[in-house]
Amino acid sequence: MTLKTIILSVLIASSSLGVSAQVENAGGVRRRTGQETQNPETAATVSDRMQNFFESKDTHDADLAYMRQIYRRLDLTKGANSPLYFPEDVIDGQENLFRIILNLVVDGKIPAYEYLDGREIFTDQYRVNVADMLQRFDIYAHEAKGSTERNPKFVIEEADVPTTQVLNYYIIEKWEFDRRSNRMKTRVEAICPVLNRAGDFGGEAKYPMFWVKFDAIRPYIASRRVFLSDDNNLASHSIDDYFNLGLYDGEIYKTRNLRNLSMMQMFPDEDDRKRAQDSIDNRLRSYGKDLWVPTREEYLAMKEKEAAAVESKASGDSIPERTVVMADESADTKTASTARAKKRSSVKKTAKKTAKAKPKVSSSSSNSGAVKSVRRRKR
């Protein structure tokens, strides 16, 4: 082997080692340091790129044909909302949503905003002072290491976190119809934990704590897995999926309006309020459908389905939706013929039972009457 060949092989080996020591980060290439790989806090830090990935871009007003802002109350005692409440305590590193939000706020990782009861403004002017907020709700905490006046940080002991008192959440939903995609889109804009404590004059009072923007907490809850029901203990969805899929059950307690009135103020009667809430929900969910013009095939399929539902209802089926959807036309014909055959067999059985139930007439009496009549004619 010549000296030139040896030098080339050494250069190739050194260049391959340099390539293997580089990692891709934020669109660029840089060297990985040993300190970075050994520090778990650095690995858990949410980067700007990750934050931008989870951030929902607001649709331009020129592209919107419709927009409505809805305020919902999530009752954590309902089964559908229980994934947000449990576990009450930290178990195997698993925390509920309130612990996650509170820790992010007191650590200074995400901003919190004042609850203004329907006139929320998410700007620095209305940003919550964390120390005042903790004092207002009687949550004991002490300053953490690295806390500064501009970026205060606090530590709350496990026993001082009022997890069991947060039994409600307020969320702000945005319903938008986009002209470009011709679709109705809904997304959660902000979330507010609500403390349930004894009121000054007895009873239970609700104390909204603060608003946090949902996009700000998404990078932290996207990896927190929860199981959605007691029937399936596999944690296959994250808390982020839970909100984006609309798996929560929340009643409308307010809509954005000029007078800034809640549903209870607008509809004092409970029945009227319930009808208004259902009406708003139905209008929101059917708005996009009403604007959609079906094709000829879709229109004929819809009419056929309606006719099948009317026919099944007329035949006495108490659950017409159960028999409307068929694999093909032959299956429908087979079902109808089976029903007719059962009906004929039931009629025959009824006729036989009726014939058996009739009283028998004596044959001797009938024959003797016939003979006597004939003999009279002969005479």
PDB file of all heavy atoms in Angstrom, residues 89-107:
ATOM      1  N   ASP A  89     -53.871  12.266  42.524  1.00  0.00           N
ATOM      2  CA  ASP A  89     -52.487  12.392  42.971  1.00  0.00           C
ATOM      3  C   ASP A  89     -51.548  11.926  41.859  1.00  0.00           C
ATOM      4  O   ASP A  89     -51.963  11.263  40.906  1.00  0.00           O
ATOM      5  CB  ASP A  89     -52.251  11.562  44.236  1.00  0.00           C
ATOM      6  CG  ASP A  89     -53.165  11.996  45.381  1.00  0.00           C
ATOM      7  OD1 ASP A  89     -53.383  13.215  45.515  1.00  0.00           O
ATOM      8  OD2 ASP A  89     -53.670  11.118  46.105  1.00  0.00           O
ATOM      9  N   VAL A  90     -50.289  12.273  42.006  1.00  0.00           N
ATOM     10  CA  VAL A  90     -49.285  11.854  41.028  1.00  0.00           C
ATOM     11  C   VAL A  90     -49.016  10.367  41.205  1.00  0.00           C
ATOM     12  O   VAL A  90     -48.579   9.923  42.269  1.00  0.00           O
ATOM     13  CB  VAL A  90     -47.989  12.668  41.192  1.00  0.00           C
ATOM     14  CG1 VAL A  90     -46.962  12.235  40.158  1.00  0.00           C
ATOM     15  CG2 VAL A  90     -48.278  14.158  41.070  1.00  0.00           C
ATOM     16  N   ILE A  91     -49.290   9.584  40.168  1.00  0.00           N
ATOM     17  CA  ILE A  91     -49.105   8.130  40.218  1.00  0.00           C
ATOM     18  C   ILE A  91     -48.234   7.720  39.037  1.00  0.00           C
ATOM     19  O   ILE A  91     -48.620   7.912  37.872  1.00  0.00           O
ATOM     20  CB  ILE A  91     -50.457   7.392  40.164  1.00  0.00           C
ATOM     21  CG1 ILE A  91     -51.350   7.821  41.342  1.00  0.00           C
ATOM     22  CG2 ILE A  91     -50.251   5.889  40.174  1.00  0.00           C
ATOM     23  CD1 ILE A  91     -52.737   7.224  41.288  1.00  0.00           C
ATOM     24  N   ASP A  92     -47.064   7.178  39.333  1.00  0.00           N
ATOM     25  CA  ASP A  92     -46.116   6.720  38.310  1.00  0.00           C
ATOM     26  C   ASP A  92     -45.804   7.826  37.298  1.00  0.00           C
ATOM     27  O   ASP A  92     -45.704   7.574  36.085  1.00  0.00           O
ATOM     28  CB  ASP A  92     -46.666   5.485  37.581  1.00  0.00           C
ATOM     29  CG  ASP A  92     -46.799   4.290  38.503  1.00  0.00           C
ATOM     30  OD1 ASP A  92     -46.043   4.230  39.491  1.00  0.00           O
ATOM     31  OD2 ASP A  92     -47.667   3.428  38.248  1.00  0.00           O
ATOM     32  N   GLY A  93     -45.686   9.048  37.790  1.00  0.00           N
ATOM     33  CA  GLY A  93     -45.375  10.173  36.917  1.00  0.00           C
ATOM     34  C   GLY A  93     -46.562  10.742  36.166  1.00  0.00           C
ATOM     35  O   GLY A  93     -46.413  11.737  35.436  1.00  0.00           O
ATOM     36  N   GLN A  94     -47.741  10.143  36.330  1.00  0.00           N
ATOM     37  CA  GLN A  94     -48.941  10.616  35.645  1.00  0.00           C
ATOM     38  C   GLN A  94     -49.603  11.719  36.469  1.00  0.00           C
ATOM     39  O   GLN A  94     -49.816  11.567  37.668  1.00  0.00           O
ATOM     40  CB  GLN A  94     -49.931   9.467  35.419  1.00  0.00           C
ATOM     41  CG  GLN A  94     -49.429   8.387  34.481  1.00  0.00           C
ATOM     42  CD  GLN A  94     -49.302   8.905  33.059  1.00  0.00           C
ATOM     43  OE1 GLN A  94     -50.089   9.721  32.600  1.00  0.00           O
ATOM     44  NE2 GLN A  94     -48.300   8.400  32.354  1.00  0.00           N
ATOM     45  N   GLU A  95     -49.948  12.823  35.807  1.00  0.00           N
ATOM     46  CA  GLU A  95     -50.595  13.955  36.450  1.00  0.00           C
ATOM     47  C   GLU A  95     -51.871  14.308  35.695  1.00  0.00           C
ATOM     48  O   GLU A  95     -51.961  14.066  34.479  1.00  0.00           O
ATOM     49  CB  GLU A  95     -49.668  15.178  36.471  1.00  0.00           C
ATOM     50  CG  GLU A  95     -48.367  14.971  37.220  1.00  0.00           C
ATOM     51  CD  GLU A  95     -47.463  16.181  37.110  1.00  0.00           C
ATOM     52  OE1 GLU A  95     -47.367  16.727  35.992  1.00  0.00           O
ATOM     53  OE2 GLU A  95     -46.864  16.566  38.120  1.00  0.00           O
ATOM     54  N   ASN A  96     -52.819  14.901  36.427  1.00  0.00           N
ATOM     55  CA  ASN A  96     -54.024  15.346  35.741  1.00  0.00           C
ATOM     56  C   ASN A  96     -53.787  16.716  35.112  1.00  0.00           C
ATOM     57  O   ASN A  96     -52.723  17.331  35.278  1.00  0.00           O
ATOM     58  CB  ASN A  96     -55.229  15.367  36.691  1.00  0.00           C
ATOM     59  CG  ASN A  96     -55.040  16.335  37.845  1.00  0.00           C
ATOM     60  OD1 ASN A  96     -54.097  17.110  37.883  1.00  0.00           O
ATOM     61  ND2 ASN A  96     -55.953  16.282  38.792  1.00  0.00           N
ATOM     62  N   LEU A  97     -54.784  17.209  34.397  1.00  0.00           N
ATOM     63  CA  LEU A  97     -54.598  18.422  33.604  1.00  0.00           C
ATOM     64  C   LEU A  97     -54.322  19.641  34.476  1.00  0.00           C
ATOM     65  O   LEU A  97     -53.491  20.491  34.123  1.00  0.00           O
ATOM     66  CB  LEU A  97     -55.847  18.666  32.745  1.00  0.00           C
ATOM     67  CG  LEU A  97     -55.812  19.901  31.845  1.00  0.00           C
ATOM     68  CD1 LEU A  97     -54.670  19.802  30.852  1.00  0.00           C
ATOM     69  CD2 LEU A  97     -57.139  20.071  31.120  1.00  0.00           C
ATOM     70  N   PHE A  98     -54.978  19.755  35.628  1.00  0.00           N
ATOM     71  CA  PHE A  98     -54.779  20.941  36.460  1.00  0.00           C
ATOM     72  C   PHE A  98     -53.345  21.026  36.985  1.00  0.00           C
ATOM     73  O   PHE A  98     -52.750  22.106  37.025  1.00  0.00           O
ATOM     74  CB  PHE A  98     -55.764  20.946  37.626  1.00  0.00           C
ATOM     75  CG  PHE A  98     -55.558  22.096  38.572  1.00  0.00           C
ATOM     76  CD1 PHE A  98     -55.776  23.400  38.166  1.00  0.00           C
ATOM     77  CD2 PHE A  98     -55.116  21.871  39.872  1.00  0.00           C
ATOM     78  CE1 PHE A  98     -55.576  24.470  39.029  1.00  0.00           C
ATOM     79  CE2 PHE A  98     -54.917  22.926  40.743  1.00  0.00           C
ATOM     80  CZ  PHE A  98     -55.144  24.226  40.320  1.00  0.00           C
ATOM     81  N   ARG A  99     -52.777  19.907  37.400  1.00  0.00           N
ATOM     82  CA  ARG A  99     -51.395  19.923  37.868  1.00  0.00           C
ATOM     83  C   ARG A  99     -50.449  20.353  36.748  1.00  0.00           C
ATOM     84  O   ARG A  99     -49.499  21.103  36.985  1.00  0.00           O
ATOM     85  CB  ARG A  99     -50.995  18.538  38.380  1.00  0.00           C
ATOM     86  CG  ARG A  99     -51.595  18.179  39.733  1.00  0.00           C
ATOM     87  CD  ARG A  99     -51.108  16.803  40.156  1.00  0.00           C
ATOM     88  NE  ARG A  99     -51.684  16.403  41.431  1.00  0.00           N
ATOM     89  CZ  ARG A  99     -51.170  16.697  42.614  1.00  0.00           C
ATOM     90  NH1 ARG A  99     -50.058  17.408  42.676  1.00  0.00           N
ATOM     91  NH2 ARG A  99     -51.749  16.293  43.729  1.00  0.00           N
ATOM     92  N   ILE A 100     -50.700  19.879  35.547  1.00  0.00           N
ATOM     93  CA  ILE A 100     -49.840  20.239  34.418  1.00  0.00           C
ATOM     94  C   ILE A 100     -49.907  21.741  34.165  1.00  0.00           C
ATOM     95  O   ILE A 100     -48.876  22.419  34.022  1.00  0.00           O
ATOM     96  CB  ILE A 100     -50.266  19.455  33.160  1.00  0.00           C
ATOM     97  CG1 ILE A 100     -50.065  17.947  33.372  1.00  0.00           C
ATOM     98  CG2 ILE A 100     -49.491  19.931  31.940  1.00  0.00           C
ATOM     99  CD1 ILE A 100     -50.623  17.094  32.250  1.00  0.00           C
ATOM    100  N   ILE A 101     -51.133  22.291  34.121  1.00  0.00           N
ATOM    101  CA  ILE A 101     -51.296  23.717  33.835  1.00  0.00           C
ATOM    102  C   ILE A 101     -50.695  24.565  34.946  1.00  0.00           C
ATOM    103  O   ILE A 101     -49.961  25.536  34.694  1.00  0.00           O
ATOM    104  CB  ILE A 101     -52.791  24.054  33.643  1.00  0.00           C
ATOM    105  CG1 ILE A 101     -53.328  23.381  32.375  1.00  0.00           C
ATOM    106  CG2 ILE A 101     -53.007  25.554  33.576  1.00  0.00           C
ATOM    107  CD1 ILE A 101     -54.811  23.588  32.156  1.00  0.00           C
ATOM    108  N   LEU A 102     -50.972  24.218  36.210  1.00  0.00           N
ATOM    109  CA  LEU A 102     -50.473  25.015  37.324  1.00  0.00           C
ATOM    110  C   LEU A 102     -48.947  24.995  37.382  1.00  0.00           C
ATOM    111  O   LEU A 102     -48.306  26.038  37.624  1.00  0.00           O
ATOM    112  CB  LEU A 102     -51.067  24.512  38.635  1.00  0.00           C
ATOM    113  CG  LEU A 102     -50.765  25.348  39.884  1.00  0.00           C
ATOM    114  CD1 LEU A 102     -51.357  26.743  39.740  1.00  0.00           C
ATOM    115  CD2 LEU A 102     -51.300  24.667  41.136  1.00  0.00           C
ATOM    116  N   ASN A 103     -48.338  23.844  37.160  1.00  0.00           N
ATOM    117  CA  ASN A 103     -46.872  23.762  37.183  1.00  0.00           C
ATOM    118  C   ASN A 103     -46.252  24.592  36.064  1.00  0.00           C
ATOM    119  O   ASN A 103     -45.215  25.239  36.258  1.00  0.00           O
ATOM    120  CB  ASN A 103     -46.431  22.303  37.059  1.00  0.00           C
ATOM    121  CG  ASN A 103     -46.725  21.498  38.312  1.00  0.00           C
ATOM    122  OD1 ASN A 103     -46.805  22.056  39.407  1.00  0.00           O
ATOM    123  ND2 ASN A 103     -46.897  20.199  38.162  1.00  0.00           N
ATOM    124  N   LEU A 104     -46.897  24.591  34.886  1.00  0.00           N
ATOM    125  CA  LEU A 104     -46.366  25.390  33.784  1.00  0.00           C
ATOM    126  C   LEU A 104     -46.466  26.878  34.083  1.00  0.00           C
ATOM    127  O   LEU A 104     -45.566  27.651  33.736  1.00  0.00           O
ATOM    128  CB  LEU A 104     -47.132  25.068  32.492  1.00  0.00           C
ATOM    129  CG  LEU A 104     -46.927  23.669  31.914  1.00  0.00           C
ATOM    130  CD1 LEU A 104     -47.856  23.447  30.728  1.00  0.00           C
ATOM    131  CD2 LEU A 104     -45.483  23.458  31.495  1.00  0.00           C
ATOM    132  N   VAL A 105     -47.530  27.288  34.756  1.00  0.00           N
ATOM    133  CA  VAL A 105     -47.715  28.710  35.068  1.00  0.00           C
ATOM    134  C   VAL A 105     -46.734  29.161  36.138  1.00  0.00           C
ATOM    135  O   VAL A 105     -46.078  30.199  36.008  1.00  0.00           O
ATOM    136  CB  VAL A 105     -49.175  28.975  35.498  1.00  0.00           C
ATOM    137  CG1 VAL A 105     -49.324  30.395  36.049  1.00  0.00           C
ATOM    138  CG2 VAL A 105     -50.126  28.783  34.322  1.00  0.00           C
ATOM    139  N   VAL A 106     -46.612  28.394  37.229  1.00  0.00           N
ATOM    140  CA  VAL A 106     -45.722  28.822  38.323  1.00  0.00           C
ATOM    141  C   VAL A 106     -44.251  28.682  37.941  1.00  0.00           C
ATOM    142  O   VAL A 106     -43.396  29.354  38.535  1.00  0.00           O
ATOM    143  CB  VAL A 106     -46.021  28.022  39.614  1.00  0.00           C
ATOM    144  CG1 VAL A 106     -47.444  28.255  40.073  1.00  0.00           C
ATOM    145  CG2 VAL A 106     -45.747  26.531  39.430  1.00  0.00           C
ATOM    146  N   ASP A 107     -43.936  27.831  36.952  1.00  0.00           N
ATOM    147  CA  ASP A 107     -42.552  27.734  36.471  1.00  0.00           C
ATOM    148  C   ASP A 107     -42.209  28.817  35.465  1.00  0.00           C
ATOM    149  O   ASP A 107     -41.052  28.915  35.041  1.00  0.00           O
ATOM    150  CB  ASP A 107     -42.308  26.365  35.822  1.00  0.00           C
ATOM    151  CG  ASP A 107     -42.251  25.252  36.855  1.00  0.00           C
ATOM    152  OD1 ASP A 107     -42.123  25.567  38.053  1.00  0.00           O
ATOM    153  OD2 ASP A 107     -42.355  24.071  36.468  1.00  0.00           O
TER     154      ASP A 107
END
